[in-house]
Amino acid sequence: MDFGVLGPVTVQGHPISSGKQMIMLASLLCHANEPVTGDALADAAWPLAPPSPSTFRWHLHRLRGLVGERLIRRGDSYLLAVEDGELDTARFEELVRLAGAEPPERALPLLDSAMALWRGEPYDGLLDLAVIRAEAARLTEARLLAVEARARVLMALGRPAECVSDLAAAVSAHPLRESLIELRLRALAATGRRAEALRMFDQTRRRLRDELGVDPSGTLRRLHEDLLHHDPAPRLLPPDIHAFTGRTAELAVLDGLLDHPCGVAVISGVGGVGKSGLALHWAHRSRDRFPDGQLYANLGEHTPAEVLSRFLFALGAAVVPVEQHDQIALYREMLAHRRVLVILDNAPDSARAKPLLPGAPGCVTVVTGRSRFESLVADVGALPLRLDEMPLADAALLLSRIARIEVSRAAPLAELCAQLPLALRVAGARLLTRPGWGVETLTARLTGEHRLDEFRAGELDVRATLEAGYDDLPPAERTLFERLGLLRVPTFTAWMGAALLEVPVTIAGDLLERLAERQLLQPDGIDGAGQERYRCHDLIRLLARERAGTGPGQDAIVRRFLSCLLWLSKEAYLREYRGRFRLIESDSPLWQPSGEVLPADPMSWMAAERATLLAAIRQAADLGQANLSWGLALAAVRLYEIHGHFLDWVQSSQVALQSCRDNGDDRGAAVMIMSLGSVAVFQKHHAQAVTLLTEALPSLDDDAFRALALGNLAVAELALGQAEAAIAHLAEAAELARAAGDEVIEAVALARLAFHHDDPRPLLDRAGDLAAGHRRVSLMVLLCDLRVTLRTRCHVHADVLSNRLLTEVRLYGDRVLEREALCLRADSLTALGRAGEAAACLRRAHELALAQHALPEARRIAGLLGR
């Protein structure tokens, strides 16, 4: 049977309808299992006049109907038999007793169960009776003690916010109970609401004086002193970074965090690039903006659970919860009303940082690490900030400040440090702590074979920092990373990885992206051919090269990369000319990648790989692979010719020519001499062109290439006034090209020959037919047509033709043809009296000539402008 008195009196959960019977039952329950005289029961139920015996017996009979045989008569007394656990007050007191013997995490559910038994005031509605009033007062005190015990348990569990809420009603009902007030003051302070706690103490002090004429107890007064003088704001920041330099733009971005809706920034970058230094310097610079403290943790050394415990104790938690989800909840509750800066340094990934995000609008968090923290960016709107090596001027200044040397002397050394802040600090420390060393000493050591070994000073070790991202690489990523170190190209793409690993292009692209996620590579954007490009920091590249090693096996890997580049370059060349203008073949084997690499516009791929081509030509020459070197140099000619990269053309051909001579490749040497003669024609170095092309012709064993060389030789001869020889060479070129089946070379030779023919139209028409379907050759034929038109003084037609030519050349993107078209249009405009428009054309042509290093042409155009 269930008896309830912690609220209205009930039996089996049901209230008693009769007031007399309820009073009698309440009197018996106040003395459960103890006899109560009939007179005491009568006096309680009938306080004004005693009832008649029959009335009394009738009510007893009705009460027995409610409780059954539990109501026992003993002489003139009555006893209500209550078994263990049947009376809610007994259950309440037992639960409180058990809780007092348990640790906080086990005591809390017991106290919660005890408090759940209360339905209102004890013996609600019966407090006019003295005996019941005394028992109700005892139970009320027991309840208050339980409330205080539960509050202490919550504080011990590190849940002060709940404690504040739960104590609000009790303090309101008992505003002079100092033990309750003390607990609520401590809970307010633990949740960062110190000002509210101070106001509450002042209210309590006034009430005690006004109502009782006393001051607060010593315990409350000491707590008040602590609240007044103790600064609860944690200050966990390490010291500011010494000689911090530069990073102005990055600091401005972090300043924007103060108004950012998310309040989270993630700083990523390679090891040693200064992520931690930037975060700490900004934290110290912004310290006044966070009056409630600054928290700092190195997540590379500690787990989130360890950091949460440290942060909670720093924020004032008396006890840290056992479960991590409770720790996170308390951490965020304690920060809810504070303005705190949180620095999470060296975080391995987003998952390690997420539990430590405050979640409060007044707080700001800066996370640093090698990861790109894409989950934090996507899920919480974190502001991404990628840190690169320092600009040279800032790097030199930093090194000069650390080493205490002049900036001018520091600049060359800063370059050897690859402008990496950690390397700069190591170099500066080594100079400063070794009195016998000068800048020249360290410079010599850093240009030696074991450069990375020099970047160590005490606990500062650049190699160890860089290796942290390398040591735990999976096998495929590790192999690719090492082999990338074998290449001398400035940036990397998926097809290069495919060649290095002999895997499909798509797989290589995924592996490159994984290396970028670990900050061993840096995304360098999408190039003009739609390829994702990656770059590698100089010191990381050095680490990769060391790990790759040297030997025949490594040379074979590089040769496969070079032969893949040659296959792609030739394929781009053939697609551009639709197979109608073939390259002379070297005997180098080719490696074809698995997967599509070339876009619809193959020359856009060639343009994107311009730096790759130049670096590969040099590396092939250094490996003694002359056939690869001159094959790549020849394949790159069309790119150089279209875009006017004449210096690259000269350098490529010279490097390959020297390699051919060093390795006895006479055929390749002849092709490269012809290439140098051809670029001399474009640069208007005509005498040099005649010499080189004349030298190359006897050794060229391919009729199409002989025709090409003869055509270029004729252009130089015409410029030197050797018209008769030039016309003969053009005719020979056309005949050789026709015999070789090379329509492109034949079309160009016929179009040039037309200028010197009495009836040029048949030759131009034939050239146009041969060039049909190839845009650039058609433009060259149109250019020759324009020259013929100007020669015949058809200036109006020349105006129309030159305008059309210029428009189409610009759409095609050929800067060399654009320069020539501008000069011819200027001639037609001058003849029509439109001098201003003609001058504008010449000025643009002059700019292009200078950009293309066609200096004789630039001087000629300048002379025309000066007239």
Side-chain angles (χ1 to χ4, degrees):
M1 185 167 286
D2 182 78
F3 300 98
V5 298
L6 299 179
V9 178
T10 59
V11 176
Q12 296 294 84
H14 300 295
I16 311 301
S17 57
S18 168
K20 301 298 184 182
Q21 294 160 32
M22 182 170 63
I23 292 172
M24 295 170 71
L25 178 60
S27 298
L28 290 167
L29 287 172
C30 281
H31 303 282
N33 297 319
E34 296 178 2
V36 179
T37 65
D39 290 343
L41 291 175
D43 288 343
W46 289 273
L48 299 179
S52 65
S54 60
T55 299
F56 182 72
R57 286 195 299 274
W58 184 85
H59 281 285
L60 280 174
H61 173 72
R62 298 289 294 182
L63 182 60
R64 184 170 282 109
L66 292 173
V67 301
E69 298 302 321
R70 297 298 185 91
L71 183 60
I72 302 170
R73 182 172 181 176
R74 290 183 178 176
D76 61 351
S77 298
Y78 297 88
L79 177 146
L80 184 64
V82 178
E83 296 181 4
D84 291 345
E86 290 186 332
L87 182 59
D88 57 1
T89 57
R91 295 201 299 277
F92 167 76
E93 289 171 335
E94 178 62 11
L95 286 168
V96 172
R97 185 189 68 78
L98 290 173
E102 295 289 347
E105 61 272 12
R106 296 176 62 181
L108 185 60
L110 294 172
L111 290 170
D112 286 343
S113 298
M115 299 306 297
L117 296 170
W118 285 79
R119 295 170 286 110
E121 295 296 325
Y123 295 95
D124 196 11
L126 300 177
L127 298 183
D128 290 342
L129 302 174
V131 62
I132 292 176
R133 188 163 57 247
E135 177 63 6
R138 185 188 73 80
L139 290 173
T140 298
E141 176 63 20
R143 182 185 186 185
L144 287 173
L145 290 172
V147 168
E148 292 174 357
R150 186 175 184 276
R152 284 191 291 272
V153 166
L154 285 173
M155 290 290 285
L157 290 174
R159 294 160 62 179
E162 292 179 52
C163 187
V164 170
S165 176
D166 290 353
L167 289 175
V171 170
S172 178
H174 304 276
L176 300 179
R177 188 179 178 91
E178 293 192 49
S179 54
L180 276 176
I181 292 165
E182 178 193 349
L183 283 168
R184 193 158 194 268
L185 290 176
R186 293 188 183 281
L188 285 169
T191 54
R193 298 157 68 178
R194 191 162 62 101
E196 188 176 342
L198 290 170
R199 288 195 299 272
M200 183 180 175
F201 176 84
D202 289 339
Q203 293 168 358
T204 301
R205 178 168 52 190
R206 286 195 299 271
R207 186 175 284 117
L208 286 169
R209 286 176 177 175
D210 294 345
E211 298 184 23
L212 301 180
V214 298
D215 286 325
S217 66
T219 300
L220 274 188
R221 290 198 305 273
R222 285 189 295 273
L223 177 56
H224 179 240
E225 286 296 317
D226 288 343
L227 290 171
L228 284 174
H229 299 108
H230 174 63
D231 181 8
R235 312 288 181 186
L236 303 186
L237 289 181
D240 195 358
I241 192 75
H242 168 59
F244 185 88
T245 303
R247 303 298 192 196
T248 305
E250 290 85 355
L251 289 169
V253 171
L254 291 175
D255 286 340
L257 266 184
L258 301 171
D259 302 313
H260 196 273
C262 160
V264 178
V266 290
I267 305 175
S268 62
V270 303
V273 80
K275 304 179 293 294
S276 301
L278 173 64
L280 284 174
H281 181 71
W282 182 79
H284 281 278
R285 195 177 81 159
S286 306
R287 178 171 178 161
D288 293 343
R289 305 295 294 270
F290 301 97
D292 297 317
Q294 300 88 38
L295 300 173
Y296 172 89
N298 187 335
L299 293 184
E301 299 175 354
H302 301 285
T303 66
E306 293 170 337
V307 174
L308 279 167
S309 297
R310 182 166 172 251
F311 281 4
L312 287 171
F313 281 126
L315 290 167
V319 175
V320 174
V322 175
E323 299 296 332
Q324 183 167 325
H325 61 85
D326 290 329
Q327 294 175 353
I328 295 170
L330 174 60
Y331 171 65
R332 289 174 178 162
E333 286 171 0
M334 296 185 78
L335 292 179
H337 301 282
R338 302 189 189 189
R339 189 166 181 81
V340 171
L341 172 61
V342 181
I343 304 294
L344 304 176
D345 203 11
N346 294 320
D349 49 41
S350 296
R352 193 74 67 93
K354 276 185 177 179
L356 298 162
L357 299 182
C363 295
V364 166
T365 306
V366 177
V367 185
T368 78
R370 289 183 172 88
S371 168
R372 291 187 294 202
F373 303 108
E374 290 170 336
S375 179
L376 289 179
V377 174
D379 294 345
V380 303
L383 187 68
L385 179 57
R386 194 182 83 183
L387 211 57
D388 292 318
E389 58 268 24
M390 301 180 76
L392 181 57
D394 289 343
L397 180 58
L398 173 60
L399 181 56
S400 72
R401 294 175 67 187
I402 294 172
R404 300 174 191 172
I405 59 177
E406 298 84 359
V407 175
S408 59
R409 297 184 65 211
L413 194 54
E415 286 191 88
L416 288 172
C417 295
Q419 295 150 246
L420 191 73
L422 178 59
L424 292 164
R425 292 184 177 279
V426 169
R430 297 194 77 185
L431 282 176
L432 198 61
T433 57
R434 289 163 174 78
W437 282 21
V439 172
E440 296 75 14
T441 305
L442 186 55
T443 298
R445 297 177 73 98
L446 290 180
T447 52
E449 184 178 351
H450 303 290
R451 183 176 168 196
L452 275 179
D453 293 336
E454 299 299 328
F455 289 113
R456 185 185 301 118
E459 296 179 355
L460 297 178
D461 189 342
V462 172
R463 183 195 297 278
T465 299
L466 299 180
E467 284 178 339
Y470 164 84
D471 288 339
D472 59 348
L473 283 176
E477 285 94 324
R478 178 182 291 235
T479 301
L480 178 57
F481 172 71
E482 292 169 352
R483 292 183 179 182
L484 289 173
L486 298 172
L487 306 185
R488 300 180 192 172
V489 297
T491 57
F492 308 107
T493 58
W495 70 263
M496 299 180 194
L500 292 173
L501 294 182
E502 296 185 277
V503 298
V505 174
T506 53
I507 292 177
D510 292 340
L511 293 174
L512 287 171
E513 180 60 19
R514 288 176 205 163
L515 290 175
E517 289 172 359
R518 295 172 178 263
Q519 296 293 341
L520 292 170
L521 296 178
Q522 296 296 316
D524 205 43
I526 305 295
D527 63 26
Q531 301 177 117
E532 179 80 36
R533 303 198 78 88
Y534 299 87
R535 61 183 177 85
C536 186
H537 190 275
D538 286 353
L539 296 183
I540 292 180
R541 186 188 290 262
L542 190 58
L543 175 67
R545 192 175 303 144
E546 284 184 357
R547 292 294 181 267
T550 58
Q554 288 79 356
D555 290 348
I557 292 168
V558 176
R559 285 197 301 273
R560 187 168 61 245
F561 155 75
L562 295 170
S563 63
C564 177
L565 176 58
L566 182 54
W567 184 88
L568 288 168
S569 300
K570 286 186 174 183
E571 185 67 15
Y573 195 102
L574 292 172
R575 290 188 191 183
E576 171 67 13
Y577 283 94
R578 292 172 173 82
R580 297 166 63 192
F581 182 23
R582 62 182 179 81
L583 286 164
I584 191 169
E585 297 289 339
S586 69
D587 58 357
S588 174
L590 302 180
W591 190 86
Q592 180 177 349
S594 172
E596 191 58 46
V597 175
L598 298 177
D601 176 11
M603 294 312 294
S604 68
W605 181 85
M606 292 289 287
E609 299 296 355
R610 174 187 167 196
T612 301
L613 283 162
L614 193 56
I617 291 163
R618 291 194 175 106
Q619 189 163 11
D622 290 343
L623 285 174
Q625 299 293 312
N627 53 352
L628 282 169
S629 185
W630 75 258
L632 288 167
L634 184 61
V637 163
R638 195 58 59 214
L639 169 69
Y640 301 151
E641 180 181 354
I642 291 173
H643 294 284
H645 300 315
F646 298 144
L647 286 184
D648 286 0
W649 190 346
V650 170
Q651 290 175 19
S652 298
S653 301
Q654 288 177 339
V655 168
L657 174 59
Q658 188 60 50
S659 180
C660 290
R661 286 172 171 165
D662 291 343
N663 293 278
D665 189 337
D666 296 335
R667 184 165 181 260
V671 173
M672 288 299 96
I673 292 170
M674 187 202 80
S675 179
L676 287 166
S678 299
V679 69
V681 171
F682 279 90
Q683 291 181 299
K684 308 297 182 182
H685 298 309
H686 296 116
Q688 180 185 3
V690 169
T691 300
L692 290 167
L693 291 168
T694 301
E695 179 186 353
L697 273 166
S699 300
L700 293 176
D701 57 5
D702 183 279
D703 285 347
F705 262 68
R706 283 183 60 81
L708 181 61
L710 286 168
N712 288 331
L713 177 59
V715 172
E717 289 170 334
L718 284 169
L720 294 172
Q722 302 168 15
E724 184 176 349
I727 293 170
H729 285 144
L730 284 173
E732 184 181 356
E735 185 61 33
L736 282 171
R738 184 180 305 111
D742 197 316
E743 296 177 344
V744 168
I745 296 177
E746 182 184 357
V748 175
L750 289 174
R752 288 172 173 169
L753 196 57
F755 185 83
H756 306 282
H757 205 278
D758 293 337
D759 185 10
R761 185 50 51 192
L763 291 176
L764 288 171
D765 290 345
R766 173 62 179 160
D769 292 340
L770 290 169
H774 190 282
R775 196 171 174 190
R776 184 170 190 274
V777 179
S778 296
L779 290 173
M780 294 176 71
V781 172
L782 184 59
L783 186 75
C784 292
D785 196 348
L786 177 56
R787 291 185 190 277
V788 170
T789 303
L790 285 168
R791 188 194 68 181
T792 57
R793 301 183 182 278
C794 299
H795 299 303
V796 174
H797 181 54
D799 178 38
V800 174
L801 205 59
S802 64
N803 189 50
R804 172 189 160 196
L805 174 62
L806 191 56
T807 300
E808 293 187 14
V809 163
R810 283 173 171 167
L811 285 174
Y812 181 66
D814 191 318
R815 295 291 177 258
V816 176
L817 287 182
E818 181 184 355
R819 185 193 77 205
E820 295 189 30
L822 283 164
C823 291
L824 293 177
R825 178 154 177 76
D827 290 344
S828 69
L829 291 169
T830 300
L832 293 172
R834 293 154 64 181
E837 294 175 66
C841 288
L842 289 173
R843 282 194 293 273
R844 174 57 181 158
H846 185 257
E847 292 174 3
L848 288 172
L850 289 175
Q852 296 161 9
H853 296 275
L855 300 183
E857 181 69 355
R859 287 192 292 270
R860 185 187 73 83
I861 298 171
L864 293 174
L865 284 167
R867 287 191 309 195

